[in-house]
Amino acid sequence: MSASDPDKLIAKADKLTKLSLTRWNADWKNATVLYEQAANAYRLARKYEKAKDAFEKASKGQEMLSSPWDAAKHMESAAASAKEVGNWNEVSDFYRRASELYIECGRSQPASDALAKGARALEDALPDEAIRLYTDACAVLEDDGKEQMAFDLYRAATSVYIKLEKYEDAATFLLRLALAADNCNAKHSQCKAYLSAIIVYLYAHDFQQAEKCYNDCCQVEAFLNSDQNRAATKLLSAYTDGDVEEIKRAAQSSIISNLDHVIIKLARKLPTGDVTSFKRGATDDQEEPLDEDDLT
């Protein structure tokens, strides 16, 4: 075997980190170089399981050398290798650890990015964990006053919720996006998020919640005077008229066509159920006729 054989490099590095009668201090500096060489060789040979372990060791080495940035980079490489072999729990663990290391460096953006990479990798295999990762990625940016950089993460999490048919959670996340937008004075994004939440509630055939959401949003001046408010008003009015064709027309408006693709798809399928019960006067019509002989 050549001197650059990755198995030999790992064996040599392991010896340098183990204490013995003749070695009283671990030589992490030289060991880490060997772990890095081995990890890259394994990755090049597409031996991802071994690459994963080597990158994890290289990350630990950089930590021992007080270099959290390089440790985080290696942990991300370990996560990418875990993804190649479908070890989804390790994908999450490694990206989370990478994020923690970036935070040690005081770098919120790469810390959030690491969590987002993990979330994207897990959307199909572990969607609930993907949502948790997206949520944490948003929190990292918000804690650093960088809400505007989290908008795409909110949208990504919303898309996963919709795929899982968790519409109430999707709407709630859109309202969180609206709040984040409000905090950084992004009024247009805020209004789009409000309209999107209303559409999600309507798609879930929860008109009462959609109307409540609309009324709450109208307390916000930016929404009250917006094109998104006018689009929502037309949509809800069509529901209260029990007019299916008008609902379909309202859902085709150019304002709705400028929302995120996943929301447009929901809007195009409205209404999703019978709308006659939402019609004005429908409740009155269903009341029992007055019995003039009944004085109670």
Side-chain angles (χ1 to χ4, degrees):
M1 288 187 178
S2 68
S4 60
D5 180 278
D7 291 336
K8 281 190 172 182
L9 294 173
I10 290 290
K12 186 175 179 181
D14 285 344
K15 284 183 180 178
L16 292 174
T17 60
K18 287 177 182 173
L19 303 183
S20 66
L21 292 173
T22 57
R23 186 185 304 281
W24 292 9
N25 296 302
D27 183 359
W28 281 106
K29 185 175 181 180
N30 287 312
T32 300
V33 172
L34 295 173
Y35 285 137
E36 290 168 345
Q37 290 174 353
N40 287 322
Y42 284 135
R43 181 167 59 184
L44 197 61
R46 301 189 180 219
K47 294 181 179 179
Y48 295 113
E49 187 68 41
K50 288 188 173 183
K52 169 179 68 69
D53 294 339
F55 276 121
E56 191 177 5
K57 289 181 176 182
S59 179
K60 181 182 179 183
Q62 290 292 356
E63 277 194 80
M64 299 301 289
L65 297 171
S66 300
S67 181
W69 177 269
D70 291 318
K73 287 290 184 185
H74 288 326
M75 196 54 77
E76 285 200 75
S77 295
S81 297
K83 178 187 174 184
E84 291 292 342
V85 295
N87 195 329
W88 306 118
N89 288 326
E90 283 193 326
V91 170
S92 175
D93 291 343
F94 290 157
Y95 275 123
R96 283 189 180 281
R97 181 59 189 145
S99 179
E100 291 169 1
L101 289 163
Y102 284 127
I103 288 174
E104 280 185 37
C105 302
R107 301 290 296 276
S108 63
Q109 185 64 60
S112 176
D113 288 346
L115 294 171
K117 287 176 190 174
R120 283 190 290 272
L122 296 175
E123 280 191 12
D124 293 327
L126 296 174
D128 288 327
E129 177 62 11
I131 287 170
R132 285 189 286 271
L133 285 164
Y134 277 131
T135 303
D136 291 345
C138 291
V140 167
L141 292 172
E142 288 174 348
D143 289 346
D144 200 27
K146 297 178 178 176
E147 288 94 342
Q148 194 154 5
M149 300 177 82
F151 289 0
D152 286 341
L153 301 177
Y154 277 115
R155 295 185 185 105
T158 299
S159 294
V160 179
Y161 273 130
I162 288 172
K163 285 179 189 173
L164 295 174
E165 299 182 357
K166 294 183 176 181
Y167 300 115
E168 186 174 347
D169 290 328
T172 299
F173 226 76
L174 285 164
L175 294 175
R176 281 188 60 181
L177 166 56
L179 179 61
D182 184 38
N183 288 338
C184 53
N185 206 34
K187 301 302 182 187
H188 188 60
S189 294
Q190 180 184 8
C191 293
K192 287 174 72 174
Y194 283 147
L195 176 57
S196 296
I198 292 165
I199 289 170
V200 169
Y201 281 128
L202 290 175
Y203 183 82
H205 207 56
D206 190 345
F207 179 78
Q208 186 175 8
Q209 194 59 46
E211 195 169 45
K212 180 182 181 302
C213 181
Y214 171 79
N215 290 334
D216 289 344
C217 294
C218 283
Q219 303 303 309
V220 179
E221 187 176 355
F223 181 73
L224 191 60
N225 300 317
S226 69
D227 290 337
Q228 288 75 25
N229 175 40
R230 285 184 278 278
T233 301
K234 286 182 180 178
L235 202 49
L236 291 172
S237 294
Y239 268 85
T240 55
D241 288 342
D243 190 336
V244 172
E245 292 307 313
E246 186 55 34
I247 291 170
K248 290 179 178 179
R249 275 193 293 274
Q252 296 282 342
S253 77
S254 60
I255 301 302
I256 291 176
S257 296
N258 282 320
L259 299 177
D260 293 331
H261 183 64
V262 65
I263 303 299
I264 295 170
K265 283 178 68 177
L266 298 185
R268 296 294 187 261
K269 294 175 183 176
L270 296 177
T272 53
D274 181 21
V275 297
T276 55
S277 61
F278 306 136
K279 191 173 181 179
R280 290 194 192 93
T283 305
D284 297 336
D285 292 342
Q286 290 170 4
E287 290 180 0
E288 293 183 11
L290 180 66
D291 184 353
E292 294 181 359
D293 296 326
D294 185 359
L295 302 178
T296 59

